[in-house]
Amino acid sequence: MKKKKILSRKTGEIAKKQSLKKLGDNANTVSDFIIAYKTPLLMVGGAVLGWYLIKKTKTGIASVFKEQSEQVNIDLPIDLKKTTISKTQSQQFAQQLLDASNHMAPFYGTDEQTIKQVFLQLKTGEDFKLVYEAFGNKNYNGWNSPPVGIFRHLDNYQPRDLVYWLKSELEPSDGEVYTIVKSRIESAGWTFEKE
C-alpha cells in the first residue's frame, strides 16, 4: 500500500512539474510575442481606442445640435362639466404662466403676481387640468426657457410639464401665491411639495 501511495504521489509531482513547465513555456512565448510586436500592437490598440473616442464624440456633438421640439403629448381625462374656463382661455393661461416663469424686463426672475392672477381664475381642479394640457411639455433650464436662437444648442434643458415648472419657480417663502398654486394643483390630483 505504501508503495502505491508513493508511486501515486511521484506521478502527481511529475505531472505537476510538466504542467508548470508548459505553462512557463507558453508565458515565455506570449511575452516574447508581445515584446517582438509591441509597436504594431500599440498601433492597433491606439486605432481601436481612437475609433471609439471619435464615435462617442460624434454622437455627443450630434445630440447637442439635435432639435428638441416641445411636445404637447399630454392626454388627461378632463370632466368638462366641472370646468369654469374654455380651452381658448386655458391656452392663454398656459402662455401667461410660461411668460411669468420667463419674466425678464426690467426685473429678471419669476413674475409671482401673474401666476397668482392666473390661479385665482382657476376655480376647480379640472380648470388646472385644462391649463396643464395646454401647457404640455416645455424645455426647462431655469433661465428663460425654452432657449431660443443659437444658444438652444448650447443650453442644458429637458422637456418638463407645468407642475415641474411651478415647483421649480415657486418656493414656500413666496407666501400666498405658493399656497394658492399648491391648493389648486393638489385639487387636481398632483402633489406639490418641494423636495
Side-chain angles (χ1 to χ4, degrees):
M1 281 284 197
K2 269 188 169 182
K3 283 187 177 184
K4 278 189 175 180
K5 282 187 176 180
I6 293 172
L7 184 62
S8 173
R9 192 179 318 148
K10 284 187 178 183
T11 307
E13 288 174 9
I14 292 170
K16 188 177 180 181
K17 284 181 183 177
Q18 287 177 349
S19 296
L20 288 174
K21 186 176 186 309
K22 280 186 180 179
L23 185 62
D25 289 344
N26 287 341
N28 286 338
T29 305
V30 170
S31 64
D32 290 343
F33 176 82
I34 291 172
I35 291 170
Y37 295 103
K38 70 179 173 188
T39 303
L41 287 172
L42 286 172
M43 289 173 62
V44 168
V48 169
L49 179 63
W51 171 80
Y52 176 78
L53 291 174
I54 288 170
K55 183 177 177 186
K56 284 295 182 185
T57 303
K58 181 182 171 192
T59 304
I61 290 172
S63 70
V64 167
F65 290 103
K66 181 179 159 190
E67 188 64 42
Q68 295 187 25
S69 61
E70 295 177 14
Q71 306 167 32
V72 178
N73 58 355
I74 297 171
D75 187 24
L76 288 176
I78 300 172
D79 186 354
L80 295 176
K81 294 175 187 169
K82 294 181 180 177
T83 59
T84 63
I85 62 172
S86 67
K87 284 211 178 231
T88 303
Q89 286 174 307
S90 71
Q91 292 167 350
Q92 292 168 348
F93 291 152
Q95 186 61 49
Q96 287 175 1
L97 291 172
L98 177 64
D99 294 342
S101 297
N102 290 333
H103 187 64
M104 292 192 60
F107 304 107
Y108 293 90
T110 306
D111 181 2
E112 288 90 0
Q113 273 310 112
T114 300
I115 293 173
K116 180 180 173 184
Q117 290 171 359
V118 167
F119 271 83
L120 286 174
Q121 296 178 67
L122 305 178
K123 304 295 182 199
T124 67
E126 301 302 307
D127 288 343
F128 176 74
K129 287 181 181 179
L130 273 177
V131 174
Y132 177 89
E133 186 176 63
F135 189 89
N137 289 320
K138 303 278 189 255
N139 295 324
Y140 186 83
N141 71 352
W143 305 99
N144 296 316
S145 304
V148 294
I150 187 69
F151 295 108
R152 76 182 183 277
H153 298 301
L154 304 175
D155 211 341
N156 182 19
Y157 56 88
Q158 291 288 325
R160 305 290 188 174
D161 68 2
L162 181 57
V163 175
Y164 182 92
W165 275 69
L166 292 167
K167 277 185 183 181
S168 300
E169 297 288 325
L170 297 174
E171 298 288 332
S173 61
D174 290 324
E176 186 182 17
V177 66
Y178 180 83
T179 306
I180 292 169
V181 168
K182 181 179 189 301
S183 172
R184 182 54 56 226
I185 289 174
E186 289 180 349
S187 74
W190 280 274
T191 58
F192 195 75
E193 294 295 326
K194 293 297 278 189
E195 292 145 9

